[in-house]
Amino acid sequence: MNNSEQFPVETSIIKKLEEGLDPMVLKVINESHMHNVPKNSETHFKVVVVSEKFTEKELKSLIKRHRLVNSILKDEIATEGPVHALSIVAKTPEQWQKMAEQSDGEENISIGTSPNCRGGDGSLPRRSS
């Protein structure tokens, strides 16, 4: 079984963000294991995306970048969609470069932790012990 068959939601997120943003950096991190969901779930994600597109005048504000990412992933984050939580880090190349310089290299950039899950609406299956 290849990765796209084993993790179809993650694969879809990567494909859509690559097509929609042409990112110079894209990290899609499945954080589902940190929550009360079955093993190998695809319900909680963090995306780190660095794109030249974010330098465009209409996308300078962080909220507009987040809205763009959300619109690209609208099917995944819809009420009936597979993604329960999405944490977004959306940077311009200049911002990313500054972070890299302050961290002694891109590989040392600390993204930080996602907010704690508040449990949602209770519709997710409980993890069996």
Side-chain angles (χ1 to χ4, degrees), residues 31 34-35 45-47 86-88 111-117:
E31 297 183 326
M34 298 164 36
H35 302 280
F45 287 92
K46 176 184 286 194
V47 296
L86 180 66
S87 176
I88 302 168
I111 300 304
T113 58
S114 294
N116 288 333
C117 183

Side-chain angles (χ1 to χ4, degrees), residues 52-102:
E52 193 69 44
K53 192 168 199 95
F54 297 145
T55 63
E56 295 174 9
K57 183 178 179 182
E58 64 275 2
L59 294 173
K60 290 226 182 230
S61 77
L62 189 56
I63 189 73
K64 289 182 179 180
R65 295 178 202 171
H66 283 224
R67 286 178 180 156
L68 177 60
V69 171
N70 284 333
S71 72
I72 291 169
L73 301 177
K74 67 183 182 293
D75 295 333
E76 287 77 8
I77 63 174
T79 302
E80 299 299 320
V83 177
H84 166 74
L86 180 66
S87 176
I88 302 168
V89 177
K91 302 289 184 187
T92 66
E94 295 79 20
Q95 290 171 322
W96 188 253
Q97 182 61 37
K98 186 174 183 180
M99 290 173 69
E101 289 168 4
Q102 293 172 342

Side-chain angles (χ1 to χ4, degrees), residues 2 14 23 26 28 34 36 44 55 57 59 63 85 93 107 109 112 116:
N2 68 35
I14 290 168
L26 177 61
V28 177
M34 298 164 36
N36 189 24
H44 296 71
T55 63
K57 183 178 179 182
L59 294 173
I63 189 73
E107 66 281 354
I109 293 175
N116 288 333

